[in-house]
Amino acid sequence: MDVARTRFEVLRDTEPPGGMGGMGDGNGQSATARWVFTGSWRLTDRLPPAAELIALAGPASPAVALDARGVTTWDSGFAVLLRSLIQQLRADGVQLSLADLPEGIRRLLQLAELGEPPDAAHPAEAGFLKELGLFAIGLGRDLLAFATFIGELVAAAGLALVGKGSFRARDFWGIVQQVGPQALGIVALISFLVGLILAYMGAAQLALFGAQIYIADLVGIGMVREIGALMTGIVIAGRSGAAFAAQLGTMQVNEEIDAYRTAGMAPMRFLVLPRVLALLLMMPLLTIYASVMGILAGLTVAVLVFNLDASAYLHQTVEVLSLTALWVGLIKACVYGVMVAISGCLRGMQCGRSAQSVGEAATSAVVTGILLIVVTASMLTIMFYKLGI
């Protein structure tokens, strides 16, 4: 038999039910209704949807009292049905009385209300100052977390230097393989294309004065001192920084990092430090490789497009380059590598416990890494300029 028709009844009163005083219209008549539930209301009884009960109740009433005193047995299915029913009635502007529901159901409904998000139809409006304050608080927390992370990393590195902390060499060289040799292809492609662009842009202006030979100066100094390290850092941020965040984030989800701590193995020493050292080692080498590819791209443009002599181009490149420019590029490469490693590991260690959190951590690692590279590049450029280097 149909549960909705045999165990659900609507009684219409002339006086408001308890807890709804003041609902009358002043002449003794009040369009109130008492929805009575009786018998068994369990999942095995094939409970009806809330919309069916509302349809059976007939014309809408401004006030409804839910009465489940006659219910003999119920389970979570009945609580879910009542919750859906309450939401729909409140959305229609109906005032409800829950005084005649079992105490257990009332507690469940109260817990459900506590866990609900704010009404999406009427979101709380936040002014500009509030948004600015929240942004400042979030920025302060990020800076504090970043500073704390660097402090822990320096402490772990200090212990490793004095021989009190170590990590497996096999793990370290595996990470070196990932961030170094496996990245040669994408670094070569990006650097060669950037060198082509730089050569064409410079040649378009230098050709006005018949000084195409100085393409070698532009491409050589630009790639060795600035662009080689910058483009390598950005490529590594999108490749290795995201990989670090995803790896550590997945370990966070699988509770492997908690297992490290339980076993007395500091995650900073065994997971973060090897990755930072691997990028610190490989970034200068990748930068030299990227600079060579950029210079070869400039040579290609100069020889094939502007009919310059290859030996003259290479001689001009050697003449204009200096060890100072090389060291400036390598110092920047080391700084960029550390920034990428820190951002990737930090976001990975901050990852939540879900698959979505892993994706968010990888995305945040790339954004943070590129932001830190741009900021440090600006600071280092200004610093070297002030020092006359």
Side-chain angles (χ1 to χ4, degrees):
M1 298 180 66
D2 190 353
V3 174
R5 295 186 180 276
T6 59
R7 300 172 189 173
F8 175 70
E9 183 180 7
V10 176
L11 303 178
R12 302 203 177 266
D13 302 330
T14 58
E15 295 297 334
M20 293 189 292
M23 300 237 0
D25 57 7
N27 54 14
Q29 297 294 326
S30 177
T32 62
R34 180 176 295 273
W35 293 13
V36 181
F37 300 85
T38 59
S40 176
W41 289 77
R42 297 177 299 179
L43 288 171
T44 55
D45 296 322
R46 293 184 294 180
L47 302 180
E52 182 177 338
L53 295 181
I54 294 175
L56 288 175
S61 301
V64 171
L66 300 181
D67 187 349
R69 290 175 295 180
V71 173
T72 56
T73 56
W74 60 275
D75 58 12
S76 59
F78 186 44
V80 172
L81 172 61
L82 289 176
R83 185 63 196 146
S84 178
L85 191 63
I86 291 171
Q87 289 177 334
Q88 295 188 37
L89 291 175
R90 284 179 174 170
D92 294 335
V94 177
Q95 297 190 21
L96 295 172
S97 172
L98 310 180
D100 294 328
L101 293 179
E103 179 64 23
I105 290 182
R106 290 206 303 272
R107 287 199 300 267
L108 289 175
L109 294 176
Q110 290 173 356
L111 291 175
E113 289 181 355
L114 291 175
E116 282 191 345
D119 186 1
H122 303 283
E125 295 184 359
F128 172 75
L129 292 179
K130 180 178 180 181
E131 292 292 341
L132 183 62
L134 293 175
F135 172 77
I137 292 174
L139 181 62
R141 290 174 178 172
D142 285 343
L143 291 177
L144 179 61
F146 186 76
T148 303
F149 190 84
I150 291 180
E152 294 176 352
L153 177 62
V154 171
L159 291 176
L161 287 176
V162 298
K164 295 184 179 180
S166 61
F167 46 82
R168 295 193 303 179
R170 184 176 63 181
D171 295 340
F172 172 73
W173 291 114
I175 298 171
V176 169
Q177 173 72 18
Q178 294 174 8
V179 303
Q182 293 182 8
L184 288 177
I186 185 64
V187 170
L189 176 62
I190 297 298
S191 301
F192 191 85
L193 294 177
V194 170
L196 283 178
I197 296 171
L198 191 61
Y200 268 109
M201 291 179 59
Q205 300 300 319
L206 294 173
L208 299 175
F209 308 97
Q212 293 93 327
I213 189 62
Y214 292 107
I215 298 174
D217 299 54
L218 176 66
V219 176
I221 295 177
M223 292 299 302
V224 171
R225 187 182 177 100
E226 295 288 346
I227 301 178
L230 182 64
M231 295 310 301
T232 303
I234 292 176
V235 170
I236 294 301
R239 187 181 181 277
S240 300
F244 289 171
Q247 291 166 2
L248 296 180
T250 303
M251 296 180 69
Q252 192 79 269
V253 172
N254 296 334
E255 300 182 355
E256 296 178 51
I257 294 180
D258 295 336
Y260 269 87
R261 294 191 178 98
T262 302
M265 303 166 65
M268 188 64 64
R269 188 173 67 203
F270 288 92
L271 298 177
V272 176
L273 186 59
R275 288 170 166 80
V276 175
L277 293 179
L279 273 184
L280 185 61
L281 173 65
M282 296 309 300
M283 273 295 294
L285 301 179
L286 289 174
T287 298
I288 294 175
Y289 178 68
S291 300
V292 172
M293 295 304 299
I295 292 173
L296 290 179
L299 174 64
T300 302
V301 172
V303 173
L304 298 182
V305 179
F306 296 96
N307 299 319
L308 295 179
D309 184 68
S311 60
Y313 183 94
L314 293 176
H315 176 75
Q316 182 69 20
T317 300
V318 173
E319 285 292 326
V320 73
L321 289 180
S322 64
L323 285 178
T324 301
L326 177 62
W327 281 113
V328 168
L330 295 182
I331 290 173
K332 291 183 177 182
C334 292
V335 174
Y336 299 161
V338 172
M339 293 296 102
V340 170
I342 288 177
S343 61
C345 294
L346 173 63
R347 297 310 183 191
M349 297 292 284
Q350 291 176 336
C351 180
R353 302 286 183 173
S354 65
Q356 180 180 356
S357 300
V358 176
E360 292 173 351
T363 303
S364 180
V366 175
V367 174
T368 304
I370 294 177
L371 177 62
L372 290 177
I373 287 174
V374 173
V375 172
T376 53
S378 303
M379 295 174 61
L380 289 174
T381 300
I382 296 173
M383 183 185 71
F384 288 133
Y385 175 79
K386 293 294 184 180
L387 294 176
I389 300 177

